[in-house]
Amino acid sequence: MATSATLAMAAKARELREEGKDIIGLSLGEPDFNIPDFVKDAAINAINENYHSYTPVDGYADLKKAIITKFKRDNHLDYKPNQIVVSTGAKQSLANLAMVLLNEGDEVLLPAPYWVSYSDISKLAGGVPIEIPTTIESDFKITPESLKAAITPKTKMMIYSSPCNPSGSVYTKEELRALADVLVDYPNIIVISDEIYEHINFTDNHASMAVFEDMYDRTVVVNGVSKAYSMTGWRIGYIGGPEWIARACNKMQGQITSGANCIAQRATIIALESSPSKIQYMIDAFKERRKLILGLLSEIPGFKTNQPQGAFYVFPDISYFFGKELQGVKINTASDLSMYLLEKANVATVTGDAFGSPNCIRISYAASEENIIEALKRIKKALT
Ligand code: PMP
Ligand code: GLU
């Protein structure tokens, strides 16, 4: 099993900072905003109200109710409480799902680029990741044809994120329907729809595979509060999905971590019950930063980008540099370039290899405008 490349790079940047280096971290997908005050207050109230005990494994009943209302409000999805499982982060939800659904040798379709942990979580559960390649020209999206070509009798699951980490691509409802039209012929395939960037979407539309009647019974929606509410360290995620899968996740989680943190769950109720308009200021800021970073990147020869529609990453194709020598350093891979930028520009990025796209690097713009400007100035200087 590989170490998480996102977390490894963040750790390396931290280490170099401790040595006194002025590193700008654009590696981790972590909003730099504070948690909104109304959410913080809910947590403080929960402490003062003496919340302290173990929680129900699948989450407090009133949090599940808030999640059900949120699914209805934002996604037009209907769930009952026994279809919801709250977890210690979307990452745990994904791990639960892989462990309960995959048997040794089951194939897991991963439209590439995919979020870094899908592959190793699948392997850990005995699955075999099968990448479905895409190109920057098609906005890093798979097509019904490429999906169909990847399916075998061993295919058990498909995991994708929309908005996508790392490409920022957003599948439209029509595009998802076209993929669903292929999947309807393979009723054994479970779809995991990772919607953690749902609110960080610069298009007007967020679509979920689960809204299609013929997919609802075999789609699990994964979501959480890390990104939209800047609650990364509070560790709350959740799923909505078929009851039999929720029951299995509940059982798995009950043997591994038990219910999620009680204070963070109380705060999550308030976060999810609030109108998404309360976090619009963060989305607006990310949109401005996207414009800023795309503008700055366009001034650097050798960076080819798509126009990300959501999340907070750019995922440039940097294969232009392969085979070249920069300041005496030979660049043969995206990992070489990412390390070169860390050492020569003091900017942390993540190699695309970790996301199944070896021609790209990922740059997170969940950082201040000041840091983005300075980082891109340094990158430009190191590369030209
Ligand atoms: N899915 C995607 C696509 C992500 O980018 C992340 C980032 N952390 C996660 C899941 C996991 O989120 P959480 O913090 O809720 O574990
Ligand atoms: N999801 C974030 C990222 O992709 C956080 C890191 C992680 O959980 O791996 O950078």
Side-chain angles (χ1 to χ4, degrees), residues 17 22-28 30-33 202 282-300 303 311-314 341 345-349 362-381:
R17 249 182 238 122
D22 169 26
I23 305 291
I24 302 182
L26 302 185
S27 57
L28 205 56
E30 170 147 75
D32 56 322
F33 294 101
F202 314 124
M282 294 195 241
I283 320 306
D284 292 343
F286 287 131
K287 196 171 175 185
E288 278 304 309
R289 293 173 189 181
R290 175 186 66 160
K291 192 169 152 206
L292 175 70
I293 198 164
L294 286 176
L296 293 171
L297 277 174
S298 70
E299 291 169 15
I300 306 176
F303 277 66
F312 33 56
Y313 310 100
V314 279
L341 293 178
N346 284 352
V347 176
T349 57
R362 191 188 76 172
I363 308 177
S364 161
Y365 56 88
S368 68
E369 291 202 357
E370 192 190 344
N371 276 349
I372 292 171
I373 293 169
E374 174 60 21
L376 272 284
K377 197 161 95 190
R378 292 187 195 174
I379 291 178
K380 189 174 176 184
K381 188 157 168 250

Side-chain angles (χ1 to χ4, degrees), residues 177-207:
R177 183 62 254 174
L179 299 178
D181 286 342
V182 173
L183 293 166
V184 286
D185 290 335
Y186 303 92
N188 295 329
I189 301 177
I190 307 286
V191 176
I192 312 296
S193 174
D194 182 344
E195 303 181 19
I196 195 149
Y197 293 97
E198 170 185 15
H199 292 298
I200 305 164
N201 185 338
F202 314 124
T203 72
D204 287 338
N205 295 308
H206 171 77

Side-chain angles (χ1 to χ4, degrees), residues 89-91 94 115 118 161 165 194 196-197 226-227 235 313:
K91 201 180 250 180
L94 290 161
W115 182 49
Y118 296 163
S161 61
N165 176 4
D194 182 344
I196 195 149
Y197 293 97
S226 283
K227 311 295 169 174
R235 314 303 305 125
Y313 310 100

